[in-house]
Structures are given as C-alpha cells and as structure tokens.
Amino acid sequence: MLQLIGRILLWLRGGTLRLLILAGFILLIWGIISPVGTLMWWLGQGAETVGLKKNQPYTLPSNNAVTSVVKSSQINCYIVYLSGVGDFSANELTPGEEEFLDRIVKINPNCVAVGDVFPYSAANKSLGGQRVLAPLWNFANKADGWFGIANVLIKIRNIWRFAISADPRYGEVYNQGIADAIIQRMNAKYPIAQLQNKPFKIILAGTSGGVEVSLGAAAYLNKWLDAKIIIVSIGGVFNGRTGFNASEHFYHLRGRRDWVEDIGGIIFPSRWLWNVGSEYNQARLRGKYTASISGPHTHDGPEGYFGQEVAQDNNITYVELTLEEINQLPIWSEK
C-alpha cells in the first residue's frame, strides 16, 4: 500500500497537467456518488416528516419554534432568495445580495425576506457544516492569492447539486428537501399559520443555479401551501422540465454581457423551442413567461447582477439596476 502511494506521489511530480488529470478524475467520481448524500438525508429525515408518503399531508412547523417574528398585520408576501453556485452557505451572502434583499423589503413593507436557504443542500447545511469535507470547503472558501483558484471546487460541488435538482431520477427527493427548508425558514421569519386564511404569495428570487432549484421546489410548495408562487430569475440557468405549471408567472432577467445564462437554453432539450410540450414552452405560449434585459450585467462579480460598482452608462450601481428592473415587475400589488 505504501509503495502504491509512493508511486502516485512520484507520478504527480511530473507536472501540473497530471495533477489536474487526477483532480478531474476525483471530481468525476465525486459527481457520480453525489446523489448518495441526498438519499441518505431522505432516509434519515423520514418520509412522513416532509410529506413524502402518498396521501400524507405536510405538517407546518410549530409556531412555538419561531424565534424571530415580524410583528405586522400587513405581511402577505415572502421573498425567498436562492443564491448562485459560487456561494459557500446561506449565511454568507455577498454585500450586494444583502443590499438587494434589504432594499427590496424597505420598498415593499408587506413582504419579509428569507435569505438563509442554501439551495445546494437538501438538509440546508452549509459546506462548513459537513463533518468529513468541512476542512476542504473552509480552505477553498477562505483561500486567497494563488490558492484562490481553489474556490472553483465549491462551484463544481454546487454544480453537481444543481444537476441533481434537474435530474428526474434524484430531483424529486432533493427538491422536496429544499421546499421543506424554504417553509422552515419562511416560518422562522413570519408564522405561516397566520396567513393560511388569507391570500399570500411566495416570490422565489434566484440567480444562476438557484433558479433551477426554485423551479424544482415550486411544485411542492404549491402542493403543500395555499399560496401564489411567482419565480423571478436573475440571470438564471435552468431546465424547462418542471416548476412552470406550479407558478403563477416566471420572470427572467438577463444581462447583455451574461453568456453563462445562455447555457440553460443550449444544454436542456426542454428549453428548445420545438419541444412544444415542455412546461417551459407551454408557459411561454400561454403568456406565463416573461423575459427582459436587465442592463449591462455580467453573470457575477463586481459588474454582475448584485455588483456594487457603478455602471458607466447608467451612473448607478449594477445592483441598483437590478432593483429598478425587479421593482417594475407587476408582482408587488396587494390586490
């Protein structure tokens, strides 16, 4: 065994290319077994807990567990934000994302913002909370300088979870876990039971891969809660297979310099226009899908949708451009 390890180390000394080949092989194996974590969560959680058994109603969280309650009788709206694949946890939003949520709630005081759902974990656990690989994720998240490239590991890991959400074999379990996490965090912000006898809406606002997870969770939120569900995609990369029928409307904002957003329409056959039977195309044909240009945004970074640099042609920050576009959407009326 020691001789084998010695030979591997000697082989790796041959250059960076060999190291990259080994890393690629490890990531491939990792991707193949990644659904195991979702299935283990499901077995540990129990089918009854999240209403997975046939004819089993979903049990709303107890109000006694609520720790933070917004005391307002005007609340009738939840804004649930699901982040992109570069995020480490739900508790580490970028300053631009935090500004976005803070300002949109100030403009719409009838809404509460839910920003602590991690869309790349069915159990809603941050990467730092994983016992085995936590040291690796913490290193990748905090590395800087030349080692900053290690952050790509987090993106690759989260892309695998994005793929699970979009996969019809494993997505059903994964997306129900995310829907359960969304309800738990909504209830922590404002008791859902207080809204059950009056109309309320859930606005799932996501970016990048978070939009695909929003679509996957929408079907179960629609099944479990009597609420109007609206999805707002901010440069989202998404499948067109599911979620559109469960939502009242799907709004898609894309930046003029965002080439990553185009990937979803290329790799997913359900997004191809001749696949007229897909939920995406049916929503588009029925007028339930609206796409618009948000501005000169890139996919992420300081000039992305939540970037805090000033856009030269507009003389406001990129996140302010995003806010302007979203505030113009016809989703904020209380009627």
Side-chain angles (χ1 to χ4, degrees), residues 257 296-297 301-304 306-321:
R257 295 184 292 155
H297 296 98
E303 297 183 356
F306 305 101
Q308 294 184 301
E309 285 196 5
V310 175
Q312 294 181 355
D313 295 339
N314 304 86
N315 204 32
I316 59 175
T317 63
Y318 286 92
V319 66
E320 287 174 329
L321 277 174

Side-chain angles (χ1 to χ4, degrees), residues 235-304:
V237 180
F238 55 90
N239 199 340
R241 187 179 59 85
T242 187
F244 291 90
N245 289 345
S247 58
E248 294 283 330
H249 205 100
F250 184 101
Y251 295 92
H252 180 53
L253 305 181
R254 57 164 299 181
R256 287 196 295 270
R257 295 184 292 155
D258 182 4
W259 62 268
V260 177
E261 176 274 338
D262 295 327
I263 293 176
I266 296 172
I267 66 173
F268 293 119
S270 52
R271 292 276 305 277
W272 300 348
L273 296 182
W274 53 83
N275 190 354
V276 294
S278 70
E279 287 197 19
Y280 162 76
N281 279 307
Q282 286 296 305
R284 190 176 56 83
L285 294 171
R286 294 172 183 171
K288 293 179 60 177
Y289 175 91
T290 302
S292 59
I293 299 296
S294 62
H297 296 98
T298 58
H299 190 68
D300 52 17
E303 297 183 356

Side-chain angles (χ1 to χ4, degrees), residues 156-211:
I156 292 173
R157 182 264 178 205
N158 289 344
I159 286 173
W160 281 120
R161 295 303 189 275
F162 159 86
I164 292 173
S165 178
D167 193 317
R169 297 169 298 175
Y170 311 109
E172 182 175 353
V173 172
Y174 185 87
N175 293 326
Q176 288 186 66
I178 297 296
D180 179 62
I182 288 173
I183 292 175
Q184 296 285 340
R185 301 320 304 157
M186 283 169 49
N187 197 68
K189 286 290 183 178
Y190 189 86
I192 297 173
Q194 294 188 18
L195 299 176
Q196 285 296 286
N197 296 323
K198 61 180 181 178
F200 72 100
K201 56 191 169 187
I202 303 170
I203 299 171
L204 300 175
T207 187
S208 190
V211 177

